[in-house]
Structures are given as structure tokens and as C-alpha cells.
Amino acid sequence: MGYIVAGIPFGIAFALIGCKKFETTPQKNTTYTFIWFFIACFLSTQVSQSFADTHIGLVIIAHWRNFIAELLMLATFPLLLLAITLKPRLSFAVGIIPFLLLSLANYYIFKFRGNEFTPMDFLAIGIAKNVAGNYNFGWTFNPTCGLFSYLLILHMGFCLKPAQFNKRKLVRIVSAILCVAAAGISIARLPSVYVMSWEKMGSTHNGFLVNFFAQIVTTLKQVPEGYSYEITEKIAERYAAHPTDSAAGTVPASTTSADSTRADSTAERPSIIVIMDEAYADISTLNPEFGDTLFYKTLHKNTVKGLALSSVYGGGTANSEYEFLTGNSMAFFNHGISVYQMYIKAPAYSMATYLRGLGYETIATHPFHRQGWSRETIWPLLGFETTTFLEDYPQKKMLRGYVSDQEMFEYIIDKFKHKKKPLFLYGVTMQNHSGYIPDGKSQKLQVSLKQYPGYPDAELYTGLIRESDKALKYLLHYFEQVKEKVVIVFYGDHFPGLNKHFYIDLYGKNFATLKDRQKLYKVPFFVWTNYESKSVDVPLTSLNYLGNYVYKVAGIEFPAYNRFLNDMQQQIPAMNSWGFYSTEHHKFLNYNYASGKEKEMLQEYRFLQHNSIFDNKRNKVFF
């Protein structure tokens, strides 16, 4: 229906423009063609924004310098082709296409995920290809308007006769100079652009293309101001060396708390099973009246549970893995970064490397393709001895074409049964992966949401989470019967990318402020034991701190880095890529507004994290 509605006015425009032939002299025609060429480049900024589902006028109002950069960026390729071909109409027609395709990709990615297209998405093309069957790529009003606008601009140009150049060499030189100037000016602008990726803020304030390419520029490795290896060594001195009173040592006083457990070299080390459940979220946190039946809320005995801030929304699962396994935070990376694929090129410190050093068998498993987020390469670098993927599963209990949580948990139990020493297993589920458009096979999973009708994606998602809870009950029931000590860690990686209007209806307003926005980044977690341990309700933490809870309930001495994180958590209890909760101000703040002790701790954290990833001389807290 969208293309029919959009096609009527464009059809009329096509007819009116083409009804009269332009009879001019060759010289005037060449002048008119050049005028059309530059007007076409200007108009293409609106075409690009139309594909991105925003308006270029908003960009001009928000920041005119970004609009100029957007315009020059769009003109770069057409000018380059003009210098080569001396054919203005062909140069514009072909040169503008790559930018329009990027804008169109942004439209669909936002439609499916709820935030904008980022350079990281190119690294996830393999994943996107594998899950594309669960998405509906309907051709709707916005891309239709963009396409018709592009064709209309071409139509105007082709109503003119081909330009004839008497001074071909001069035209080539001028076009090349303009191309270099346009590229240089637009690139020079990018480092000063404040990148945004929440909803359409980047496209609205910066222009989609400027926002997109600014992310590439800010993605380049940058040394934090004031950083040096010697500074990290001074930080490490406070945490790396501490007194011990046994062969294994004890948790130092700075990290000892009511729920800390002494590590004893003679004690039985529990097996640790960590499950990061795809898109597992507690939607009732947006509105308690929504109600839910989430199983984790019923756990009270031998359980630490609560909500944790994730740094991603709707996608970017690997970044949630990274935060949990390493204790590092996405706060110090640009939005849209995939640390796995961009920065981990050599063996790196993680929970797996530490536990492996303590004698644990380390396994990572994911019932999907091994190439996803480069896990087959990255997991061994993070210390996992064994990695298994889709081909290692029976694939007999599938939901929507994905291995179900039930089958994965049965697989995990089998691995536990065949372990030869204490097990550290890290599993990433696949069952609840987007998209959530019901089809004939998945309709039976839908749960009617009578208070919020008209959102089939939310109904399907709710049904999937109920299936996850059934599988989770099965898993814990099995380990309740096991005599060996076992710690089960469970957390969601991010909120699902459901229809944004569903979330707005549920919450009652837009997610305009940082406080509101963080609502969509809170995921459930719990740490459960099949032996006696202290139960704690955690109001809010973040994924980078979850390792501390695991070590505490498992009775394992904190690594040096986690001793630092423990002190950090006392000052800053929760943080993610958007901001942190300030105990001083009792609210969420952007990192630019950190002050006092909080600013000092964040700076030390950033220095240590930079050292762990980029410095060739690795600090001793990462051994």
C-alpha cells in the first residue's frame, strides 16, 4: 500500500517534467547540466535521509556544519566519476547509489533492532544472513518515497541533452579538485561529531552518513589522555600483591564483605556453568502491571539475583559476552564497536583464563554457526580449551529453526556428566533470537497480551521466554539432585528489539532521558548454587561486575583485576555504554559529568582496560 500512496504524486511529477522538451544551445545545455548535477547532489541529501526515515531539515536545524559535511560526502563519488567519465548524469546516477544503499540498510536495521546501522553491522553480515529468514523485509512508504525521489531527480537530468565539453581536461581537473576538497572537508569534520545511535538521534542530529562514518573515525584505537604503562603499574601495586594465610590465599580486606567466602586450597571447587540467554529480559520492569511469570523471580534460596545493566539493545550479543568474561566495560568504546572482531587478536585475560589456571576444564558452547562474532577464533584466545557449535548438537528440539534452550541445557548436562575435573562452561543460547514475526509454525507460541493488542512480535517473544523458563526449571531441578557442588549463573544479553511503540505504550512515555533509556538496558541475572550459600537481592549492577558475584559464591579468591572491580563497584555500582549510576548524585550520569572520586576511579578503570587490550606490555593484574 505504501508504494501506491507514494507513487501517485511522483507519477504526476514524472509526467509534468517529461511533457516538454528542453531545446537549448549546446553551451547552455552544458551549463544547465552542471546546475542540475549540483542541485541533484543537494537533493540527494534528502533522499538519503528519507531512506533513513528522517528529514534533512532536522539536521540543518540541529547542526548546519554536519549538514554541509553530509552534502559534501554525498557529492564525493559523483565528482570522482565525473572526473573519469565526463558524463554528469551517469556520474550522479551511479555515484550516489552506495550512499543510498547504506541509508536503506539503516532503515531496515532500525526497523528490526530499534537503533541505527553501525560499522559493526558489517562484521555481523554472516549472522544477519543466517537469521534473515525470521525477518519481514516489507517494502514500505519511506523507502518507496526515497526511491521515487531518486528516480525523479534522474528523470529531470535525462530530460536535458547530454553535455558537450570543449575543455575536457579542464573539467577533469576541476572535478578532481572538487572531489578531493569535498572528501577532505567532510572527513575533517568527522572527529568532532558526537556520535549517537539511540533510536534515530544520529540521523536526526548529524545526518545518517555523517553519523555512520564518524563512528569509523572514532573506532580507531585511541590512547586515553594521561595514559602510561607506569601509571597502570602503580594502580596494580594496590591490588596485585596482598598478604595470604594459606596456599591459595584469602580475599583481601578491601574485598571482604558479608557475602564473600574464604577460598581454601583444600576445599572442593564447584563447577561453574554460565548461561547467557539470548534476548532474555524482564519487560515488566517497564510497567509492573504488565505482569510476568519469569522463573528467576521465584528463586530465593541459595541465590544472588537482580538486574544488571547491559551495554547493548536489540543486538550486539558479543559485547555482553565480553563484559562478563573480562570484567571490562563497553563504556570506553564508541557505540557500534564489536570488541571481539576488532580488537582481540591475541590471547587475552578473562574469567576462563583465570579458572583454567586454577585447574578448571573450560568449555564455551553456542548452538549456532561458529563464524558468528568470530567466536571460533575469539573463544580460544579468551582461554577456552574446548568450543562447540551447531554441528555438535543433535538438533532434535528446535524452535523457529533454532536449537531450543531445552536441547541446549540437556547438552550442558551431558558435558557436566563427562567432565574429568571441575568444569567452567560458558553457554550462549539461540532460541530467542530476533526477529519475532509469527509464521504458521510459530503462531502456537504466541501469548495473548490483552492489555496491549496489536503487537504480534511481543506476543511471540513472551511465548519464547516461557519456553526458556520451562527449560531453566528443568536445568535447576537436575542440578538440585547432583551431590557435587555446582554454581549456575544465568543472565540475559540485552532487551529484544520489539516494536518501539509497544515499549512506549508499556512505559507510558518516550525514552528521552538517560534515566528512561537505561530502562531498556536492564537485564535479569542470578547466581544459584546447589549447596548452602547466602541469598542476596541486588537492586542494580552491571555485566562487568557479575564475575565478582560468581567468585564470591564459589568461594574462589578474587583475581587482582576483580579486587579492583570490587572497589570500583562500591563507588560506581552500575555502568554501561550510556552512563553510570552515581552514588554521589544518586542518579544516572553521562561520563562527561563524572567528578571527584568517581572520575578518578573511572580514569583508573579506563587505563587498566586500555592496557589489557592495546598495550604490548601487559600489566601484572592480567596474568
Side-chain angles (χ1 to χ4, degrees), residues 550-568:
V550 179
Y551 292 133
K552 286 177 183 179
V553 300
I556 296 174
E557 179 189 2
F558 277 18
Y561 192 39
N562 287 80
R563 290 195 285 276
F564 168 81
L565 290 174
N566 191 74
D567 280 0
M568 176 93 177

Side-chain angles (χ1 to χ4, degrees), residues 131-374:
V131 301
N134 285 322
Y135 293 96
N136 180 7
F137 291 86
W139 189 259
T140 55
F141 183 79
N142 284 90
T144 301
C145 285
L147 176 62
F148 281 158
S149 297
Y150 168 69
L151 294 176
L152 183 60
I153 294 169
L154 284 184
H155 183 55
M156 293 168 63
F158 278 89
C159 285
L160 299 169
K161 292 183 178 180
Q164 298 179 8
F165 302 113
N166 295 324
K167 300 180 179 180
R168 299 168 65 88
K169 187 175 181 179
L170 177 63
V171 174
R172 291 185 191 276
I173 293 173
V174 171
S175 298
I177 291 173
L178 290 176
C179 174
V180 172
I185 294 172
S186 58
I187 291 173
R189 175 64 188 163
L190 297 180
S192 61
V193 173
Y194 180 71
V195 174
M196 292 173 273
S197 63
W198 172 252
E199 292 200 337
K200 300 189 185 77
M201 291 173 65
S203 297
T204 300
H205 289 264
N206 301 327
F208 164 67
L209 294 174
V210 166
N211 194 70
F212 180 87
F213 285 102
Q215 292 181 71
I216 297 177
V217 172
T218 55
T219 292
L220 301 177
K221 182 177 72 174
Q222 296 179 356
V223 179
E225 184 178 352
Y227 172 83
S228 71
Y229 173 77
E230 289 70 26
I231 289 177
T232 67
E233 282 291 278
K234 290 180 180 179
I235 300 170
E237 287 174 3
R238 305 201 307 264
Y239 298 98
H242 57 87
T244 63
D245 60 4
S246 73
T250 59
V251 178
S254 63
T255 64
T256 304
S257 63
D259 56 338
S260 291
T261 306
R262 178 181 171 182
D264 192 317
S265 60
T266 62
E268 174 193 357
R269 294 197 188 277
S271 288
I272 300 171
I273 296 172
V274 182
I275 297 165
M276 186 175 75
D277 202 281
E278 173 67 35
Y280 190 96
D282 184 358
I283 293 179
S284 70
T285 57
L286 300 180
N287 186 341
E289 294 182 2
F290 176 74
D292 64 75
T293 57
L294 295 185
F295 174 65
Y296 89 98
K297 290 185 176 181
T298 68
L299 299 174
H300 301 292
K301 187 178 180 181
N302 305 327
T303 304
V304 177
K305 70 176 188 294
L307 296 173
L309 286 180
S310 167
S311 288
V312 293
Y313 166 84
T317 295
N319 287 339
S320 293
E321 288 180 40
Y322 175 76
E323 288 189 316
F324 175 88
L325 288 169
T326 66
N328 288 342
S329 174
M330 295 304 298
F332 308 117
F333 295 105
N334 188 50
H335 292 292
I337 292 298
S338 171
V339 180
Y340 268 19
Q341 294 169 301
M342 300 191 68
Y343 297 134
I344 299 181
K345 308 298 181 185
Y349 174 84
S350 78
M351 182 181 287
T353 59
Y354 180 67
L355 293 177
R356 186 174 176 178
L358 295 181
Y360 275 78
E361 177 184 357
T362 56
I363 300 175
T365 184
H366 177 49
F368 206 55
H369 302 296
R370 60 178 57 244
Q371 297 86 358
W373 297 117
S374 301

Side-chain angles (χ1 to χ4, degrees), residues 19-34:
C19 67
K20 184 178 179 180
K21 297 292 182 181
F22 293 92
E23 300 294 338
T24 62
T25 64
Q27 185 176 4
K28 285 184 177 181
N29 188 70
T30 300
T31 302
Y32 291 155
T33 301
F34 268 110

Side-chain angles (χ1 to χ4, degrees), residues 7 50 60 78 94 109 113 140 158 190 209 306 325 359 363 372 391 418 430 457 473 482 484 510 523 536 565 572 603:
S50 179
I60 298 174
V94 176
I109 285 176
R113 194 177 63 197
T140 55
F158 278 89
L190 297 180
L209 294 174
L325 288 169
I363 300 175
E391 62 270 21
H418 292 89
M430 192 65 190
D457 57 340
K473 290 179 185 178
V482 172
E484 297 177 51
N510 283 309
V523 294
V536 180
L565 290 174
I572 299 172
Q603 184 77 310

